Amino acid sequence: MGRISESEALELYRGCSFHELGRRAHEVICRLHPENYRTYVVDRNINYSNYCFAQCSFCNFKADPDAYASRRTSPSSGYVLTYEQIGEKINELIAVGGTQILM
């Protein structure tokens, strides 16, 4: 059995609950990798800024980029991390055995 087709994937997406989809994915994993263990990567997503132009309707993390230009005169919810702050976050990741940084 190989990869599923685009139409099969769409059928699963439309017809399965989240839990059913997870159960089916787990069955495939167990069939392809019957070992009694799983591996994982410890990573950290470092958001060096939350100013964003995308205006996604689902995001509650972003700050209006127009606020960036006027941040000296009016406080905003936006931020830009310094190199030192980014370095601290990297060191925190290394301290817990992390091996991957996402930015």
Side-chain angles (χ1 to χ4, degrees), residues 3 39 51 53 63 73 93 97 101:
R3 288 188 160 288
T39 62
Y51 290 105
F53 291 95
T73 57
L93 174 66
I101 297 168

Side-chain angles (χ1 to χ4, degrees), residues 19-88:
H19 295 290
E20 174 67 13
L21 191 57
R23 185 188 63 73
R24 289 184 184 199
H26 182 71
E27 287 175 357
V28 172
I29 288 170
C30 290
R31 187 179 74 246
L32 295 175
H33 303 283
E35 305 85 10
N36 210 10
Y37 63 88
R38 298 291 178 257
T39 62
Y40 59 93
V41 172
V42 176
D43 61 22
R44 181 166 193 177
N45 190 345
I46 300 175
N47 296 301
Y48 55 89
S49 176
N50 68 337
Y51 290 105
C52 181
F53 291 95
Q55 303 297 317
C56 301
S57 61
F58 63 88
C59 181
N60 196 29
F61 179 70
K62 69 180 180 290
D64 184 4
D66 292 335
Y68 183 76
S70 63
R71 73 174 193 238
R72 290 194 171 104
T73 57
S74 64
S76 79
S77 61
Y79 67 84
V80 176
L81 296 181
T82 65
Y83 288 124
E84 291 78 20
Q85 290 170 312
I86 293 170
E88 289 171 13

